[in-house]
C-alpha cells in the first residue's frame, strides 16, 4: 500500500463530474490498483475513489504534478498535486480475511440452507466461493440459471456494497460464470448503501434473522 499526503485538487469525469478544491488530503493506492482520496473528518468514507481495475499514470504539467487514474469504463480521476508532504509504501502481505461474528456467520449458514429465501427456483452453488481477493459469501443460481453472488452483512453499509462490487468485477471475468449479478443481504441496510447498490445494479434483501432461525427450527422438528 502506498500512502501519499499532499495538498491537491481533484476532478472526476465520468457519468457525472465532481471537483474537490485544493486542500491537504490523504491518497491511498492499494495493491489491487484502487485509488481513494480521504479527508480527516469522515471515518472510513473517501471523498472520491476509483475501484479496480484501473491504471494510475503520474505525469507533469509545468510545475504541477498531474496524476490521472482511469478505469475500464474510461472514467477519470485527475489529481493535481501542488505539494507532496509525505510519500511512503508499505508491504502488508496477504490478509487473512474478515472473521465474521456469530450472527453474520449463522446468517450465511441459514441462507445457504434455505437459498429459496432469495426467490423461487434459486439453487446453491457453494458457500465461501473462493476468489483471488477473498471468498464470496454465497454463490448461487436463480430460476433462469444466472449466476448470483451474495454478500451477507449484519448491518449493510457502503463498504459492503464496495466489497461486493469488487467480487462482481472479478467473477464476471470468468466466462463459465458470467454474467454474474449481485445481491446485498443484511439484517439492516443503510439508505446510502441501498442507493449505491441500486446505482450499480445490485439487488438488496433485508434478512429476518429470527424468521430464518424459525425456519431452521421447523426443519429440525419431528412432530
Amino acid at each position: 500500500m502506498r500512502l501519499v499526503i499532499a495538498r491537491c485538487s481533484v476532478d472526476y469525469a465520468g457519468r457525472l463530474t465532481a471537483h474537490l478544491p485544493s486542500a491537504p488530503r490523504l491518497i491511498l493506492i492499494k495493491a489491487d490498483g484502487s485509488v481513494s482520496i480521504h479527508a480527516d473528518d469522515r471515518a472510513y468514507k473517501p471523498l472520491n475513489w476509483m475501484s479496480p481495475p484501473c491504471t494510475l499514470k503520474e505525469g507533469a504539467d509545468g510545475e504541477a504534478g498531474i496524476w490521472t487514474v482511469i478505469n475500464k469504463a474510461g472514467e477519470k480521476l485527475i489529481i493535481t498535486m501542488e505539494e507532496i508532504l509525505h510519500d511512503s509504501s508499505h508491504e502488508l502481505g496477504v490478509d487473512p480475511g474478515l472473521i465474521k461474528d456469530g450472527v453474520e456467520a449463522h446468517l450465511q449458514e441459514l441462507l445457504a440452507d434455505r437459498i429459496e429465501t432469495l426467490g423461487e427456483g434459486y439453487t446453491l452453488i457453494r458457500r465461501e466461493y473462493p476468489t483471488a481477493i477473498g471468498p464470496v459469501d454465497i454463490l448461487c443460481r436463480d430460476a433462469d440459471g444466472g449466476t448470483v453472488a451474495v454478500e451477507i452483512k449484519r448491518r449493510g453499509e457502503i463498504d459492503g456494497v464496495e466489497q461486493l462490487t469488487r467480487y462482481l468485477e472479478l467473477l464476471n471475468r470468468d466466462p463459465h460464470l458470467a454474467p454474474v449479478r449481485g445481491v446485498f443481504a443484511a439484517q439492516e441496510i443503510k439508505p446510502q448503501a441501498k442507493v449505491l447498490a441500486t446505482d450499480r445494479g445490485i439487488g438488496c434483501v433485508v434478512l429476518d434473522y429470527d424468521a430464518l432461525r424459525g425456519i431452521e427450527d421447523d426443519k429440525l422438528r419431528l412432530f
Side-chain angles (χ1 to χ4, degrees):
M1 179 184 291
R2 183 179 175 189
L3 296 86
V4 178
I5 299 174
R7 178 173 291 279
C8 62
S9 60
V10 183
D11 292 278
Y12 169 80
R15 289 172 293 178
L16 47 80
T17 59
H19 174 72
L20 294 172
S22 176
R25 297 190 175 92
L26 169 65
I27 304 168
L28 294 182
I29 303 102
K30 294 186 179 180
D32 63 2
S34 64
V35 178
S36 55
I37 316 294
H38 296 262
D40 201 18
D41 64 347
R42 54 183 62 211
Y44 64 88
K45 185 179 178 181
L47 295 163
N48 214 325
W49 68 93
M50 193 71 81
S51 300
C54 57
T55 58
L56 168 62
K57 180 180 179 181
E58 298 180 39
D61 182 12
E63 296 182 355
I66 306 293
W67 289 16
T68 304
V69 188
I70 306 176
N71 66 12
K72 63 180 182 180
E75 299 169 317
K76 294 182 179 180
L77 197 63
I78 301 169
I79 308 168
T80 302
M81 298 291 193
E82 298 171 13
E83 180 184 8
I84 295 179
L85 306 171
H86 175 86
D87 189 346
S88 63
S89 297
H90 307 269
E91 179 59 55
L92 302 185
V94 178
D95 191 89
L98 178 68
I99 298 175
K100 299 179 182 295
D101 65 30
V103 172
E104 199 167 294
H106 199 204
L107 276 172
Q108 183 192 117
E109 179 183 348
L110 290 171
L111 188 58
D113 193 45
R114 292 288 187 175
I115 197 65
E116 65 272 14
T117 302
L118 297 177
E120 186 177 351
Y122 274 68
T123 56
L124 178 70
I125 296 176
R126 69 167 289 176
R127 291 171 55 194
E128 299 289 333
Y129 186 87
T131 77
I133 57 175
V136 177
D137 287 338
I138 289 178
L139 197 69
C140 58
R141 295 195 186 280
D142 61 22
D144 297 322
T147 311
V148 182
V150 185
E151 180 64 25
I152 300 171
K153 299 292 183 186
R154 183 168 62 175
R155 177 180 294 175
E157 301 190 69
I158 285 176
D159 57 344
V161 179
E162 293 287 1
Q163 183 180 359
L164 179 54
T165 299
R166 292 192 292 272
Y167 287 143
L168 290 171
E169 288 176 345
L170 194 62
L171 291 170
N172 274 299
R173 300 179 196 174
D174 186 338
H176 299 292
L177 297 176
V180 185
R181 64 183 181 88
V183 170
F184 189 48
Q187 288 180 277
E188 173 192 2
I189 300 178
K190 296 294 186 180
Q192 300 92 333
K194 188 172 183 179
V195 169
L196 181 61
T198 301
D199 181 67
R200 295 184 177 181
I202 294 171
C204 292
V205 174
V206 176
L207 299 174
D208 187 328
Y209 181 58
D210 291 333
L212 283 172
R213 289 186 66 188
I215 290 172
E216 179 190 53
D217 291 342
D218 289 343
K219 181 183 177 184
L220 297 176
R221 189 176 296 122
L222 296 178
F223 304 99

